C-alpha cells in the first residue's frame, strides 16, 4: 500500500508564546508537516512560522496558503528563504487565490490564474538565484532584481490550494501538491485527480506527479458529542463558501444563506444548529479518535496523499486534541504512514 502523510494546521490568531508552545507539542508526535493559514485579518503566515520553526525538528513547515494579492511574490520568496534557514525538516510554499478578500479591502490580482502562474515563476527564479526580471500580464520586475539574501540549498516544494478546475490544471503543470481546503469528503478526490491529470499531461508530467492534500476543521476528544458540537460551530464560518464549491453535494442555498447570516451576526451557536448531521462529516474531522481514524482511512482509500487536520483540534484548547491525534490517531494509521 502506498505510504501517506498526515499534517496539522493552525489558525494565526495566537500570542507569540502560544505559537512556540504548539510547535513544541506538535514536535513530540510524528506529523509530516506543520502548517499555518494566511487568512485576513489574522497574522500573515511567516511571523508565526518563524517563531515555530526552531522548535520543530522533524516536520516540514509552511503556509497554506498565501494569496499573491495579499503578499507580493518577492516577499514570499524572501520570507521563505529566511524560514528555510531555521526549519530542520524543510519548508514548503502554499499559494491560493484567497477567500473573503473584498471583505478586507484586498483587491484580487487580475487575471487571477495568471497571477498565480507568474508568482510561481518569480518565486522560483529568486530562490534559484536567478535574475527575477519579469514582463508579465500582472507583474513587471526589472532585469537586475535578484535575491540579496542567503538562498535555500534545495528547491522548495510548492502547493496550490484550490477547488477550481483551471487552477487545479495549472497545479498539474507546475506544482508539487494541490490542497482541497475545508473538506473531508472522499468523493471530491477522484474529481480533483482527473483535473490535475489534464495539467500533468499538458506539461509532459507523469500522471500522479502532483500529490493531493485534503484538510478541514478538526476537533478530537474522548467525548465525541462535545467534539462534534465544537467542530460544528467552527465549520459554520466557511461552509457557506465551500458548499458552493463541492460538485458532489446538493445543499439548499437558502440554508447556507441563513448559516452565513448567523455567522456574520456573531452567533456561531445558532449557525451551528442549522447544519444538518448528514452533511457534517463532509466538511469536518470530528469525534473521538476512532471517528478520526475512520475518516482518514476513507480519504486515503479515495486517493489522498496527505490529510491535514486543522484548527481548533480540541474542545477546550488545542493541546488535548493534538495529544489524542499524536498518540492515538497517527499510530492507528501506521499502515498508511511512513515510519
Amino acid at each position: 500500500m502506498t505510504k501517506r502523510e498526515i499534517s496539522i494546521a493552525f489558525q494565526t490568531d495566537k500570542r507569540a508564546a502560544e505559537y512556540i508552545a504548539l510547535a513544541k507539542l506538535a514536535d513530540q508526535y510524528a506529523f509530516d508537516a506543520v502548517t499555518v493559514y494566511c487568512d485576513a485579518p489574522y497574522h500573515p503566515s511567516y511571523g508565526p512560522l518563524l517563531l515555530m520553526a526552531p522548535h520543530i525538528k522533524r516536520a516540514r513547515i509552511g503556509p497554506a496558503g498565501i494569496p499573491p494579492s495579499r503578499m507580493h511574490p518577492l516577499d514570499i520568496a524572501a520570507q521563505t528563504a529566511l524560514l528555510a534557514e531555521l526549519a530542520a525538516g524543510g519548508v514548503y510554499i502554499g499559494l491560493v487565490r484567497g477567500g473573503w478578500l473584498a471583505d478586507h479591502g484586498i483587491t484580487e490580482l487580475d487575471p487571477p490564474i495568471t497571477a498565480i502562474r507568474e508568482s510561481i515563476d518569480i518565486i522560483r527564479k529568486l530562490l534559484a538565484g536567478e535574475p527575477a526580471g519579469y514582463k508579465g500580464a500582472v507583474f513587471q520586475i526589472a532585469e537586475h532584481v535578484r535575491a540579496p539574501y542567503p538562498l535555500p540549498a534545495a528547491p522548495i516544494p510548492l502547493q496550490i490550494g484550490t477547488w477550481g478546475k483551471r487552477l487545479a490544471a495549472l497545479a498539474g503543470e507546475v506544482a508539487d501538491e494541490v490542497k482541497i481546503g475545508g473538506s473531508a469528503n472522499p468523493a471530491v478526490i477522484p474529481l480533483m485527480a482527473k483535473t490535475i491529470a489534464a495539467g500533468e499531461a499538458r506539461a509532459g508530467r507523469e500522471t500522479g506527479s502532483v500529490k493531493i492534500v485534503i484538510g478541514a476543521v478538526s476537533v478530537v476528544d474522548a467525548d465525541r458529542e462535545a467534539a462534534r458540537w465544537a467542530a460544528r460551530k467552527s465549520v459554520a464560518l466557511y461552509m457557506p463558501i465551500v458548499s458552493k464549491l463541492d460538485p458532489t453535494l446538493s445543499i439548499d442555498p437558502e440554508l447556507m444563506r441563513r448559516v452565513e447570516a448567523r455567522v456574520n451576526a456573531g452567533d456561531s451557536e445558532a449557525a451551528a444548529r442549522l447544519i444538518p448531521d448528514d452533511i457534517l462529516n463532509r466538511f469536518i474531522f470530528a469525534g473521538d479518535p476512532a471517528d478520526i481514524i475512520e475518516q482518514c482511512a476513507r480519504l486515503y482509500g479515495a486517493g489522498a496523499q496527505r490529510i491535514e487536520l486543522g484548527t481548533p483540534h480540541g474542545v477546550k484548547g488545542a493541546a488535548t486534541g493534538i495529544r489524542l491525534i499524536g498518540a492515538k490517531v497517527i499510530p492507528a494509521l501506521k499502515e498508511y504512514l511512513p515510519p
Side-chain angles (χ1 to χ4, degrees):
M1 182 176 291
T2 303
K3 297 294 185 181
R4 309 299 188 191
E5 293 186 324
I6 192 162
S7 55
I8 193 159
F10 298 104
Q11 186 55 275
T12 55
D13 57 351
K14 300 164 180 47
R15 295 183 181 277
E18 291 179 86
Y19 291 120
I20 293 169
L22 288 170
K24 290 178 178 179
L25 178 59
D27 197 51
Q28 295 176 29
Y29 302 105
F31 291 106
D32 296 285
V34 175
T35 291
V36 303
Y37 303 134
C38 193
D39 300 331
Y42 301 101
H43 299 143
S45 298
Y46 285 103
L49 287 169
L50 287 164
L51 288 168
M52 298 172 81
H55 309 285
I56 297 173
K57 307 303 181 187
R58 179 184 184 278
R60 65 188 178 277
I61 64 175
I66 300 171
S69 304
R70 188 180 183 197
M71 185 180 294
H72 195 284
L74 268 71
D75 294 324
I76 297 171
Q79 296 274 36
T80 300
L82 184 60
L83 182 63
E85 286 193 53
L86 298 175
V91 301
Y92 78 92
I93 300 169
L95 299 179
V96 294
R97 285 182 60 176
W100 302 284
L101 294 176
D103 287 359
H104 298 95
I106 301 170
T107 302
E108 184 172 22
L109 296 171
D110 186 53
I113 307 302
T114 301
I116 297 283
R117 183 187 288 274
E118 292 185 7
S119 295
I120 293 167
D121 288 344
I122 293 164
I123 291 165
R124 283 181 166 160
K125 279 172 171 279
L126 284 163
L127 292 179
E130 300 172 7
Y134 207 83
K135 295 180 180 178
V138 178
F139 295 105
Q140 295 79 44
I141 300 174
E143 269 308 318
H144 67 269
V145 175
R146 56 196 314 152
Y149 41 76
L151 298 173
I156 304 297
L158 182 94
Q159 177 190 101
I160 291 177
T162 188
W163 282 81
K165 290 185 176 180
R166 289 191 300 154
L167 197 47
L170 173 62
E173 294 182 49
V174 301
D176 299 284
E177 293 180 332
V178 167
K179 182 180 178 185
I180 308 168
S183 179
N185 183 6
V188 304
I189 295 171
L191 297 179
M192 183 62 75
K194 184 177 180 180
T195 304
I196 293 168
E200 290 169 331
R202 210 161 40 230
R205 304 174 78 184
E206 184 179 351
T207 300
S209 298
V210 179
K211 297 178 181 179
I212 294 178
V213 182
I214 190 164
V217 161
S218 62
V219 183
V220 192
D221 195 89
D223 182 342
R224 71 182 303 273
E225 293 308 317
R228 289 180 65 77
W229 175 246
R232 191 186 292 269
K233 288 193 292 183
S234 293
V235 79
L237 175 65
Y238 68 83
M239 186 180 280
I241 288 181
V242 178
S243 64
K244 299 173 187 176
L245 302 175
D246 189 334
T248 73
L249 297 178
S250 179
I251 301 176
D252 179 8
E254 177 56 31
L255 172 62
M256 290 298 99
R257 282 192 285 271
R258 289 165 59 201
V259 170
E260 187 170 26
R262 301 296 192 282
V263 169
N264 290 343
D267 192 347
S268 62
E269 295 209 359
R273 284 192 290 269
L274 292 171
I275 299 170
D277 283 330
D278 60 344
I279 65 169
L280 194 62
N281 282 346
R282 305 294 182 96
F283 290 90
I284 61 172
F285 297 88
D288 60 26
D291 292 315
I292 308 306
I293 291 161
E294 183 181 346
Q295 282 188 275
C296 289
R298 286 200 299 268
L299 289 163
Y300 287 135
Q305 278 87 22
R306 176 156 62 90
I307 293 170
E308 187 150 272
L309 301 176
T311 293
H313 305 117
V315 173
K316 296 179 180 178
T320 300
I322 294 169
R323 291 189 180 100
L324 285 171
I325 294 165
K328 301 289 187 181
V329 175
I330 293 177
L333 293 170
K334 64 182 178 181
E335 64 180 292
Y336 296 98
L337 303 174

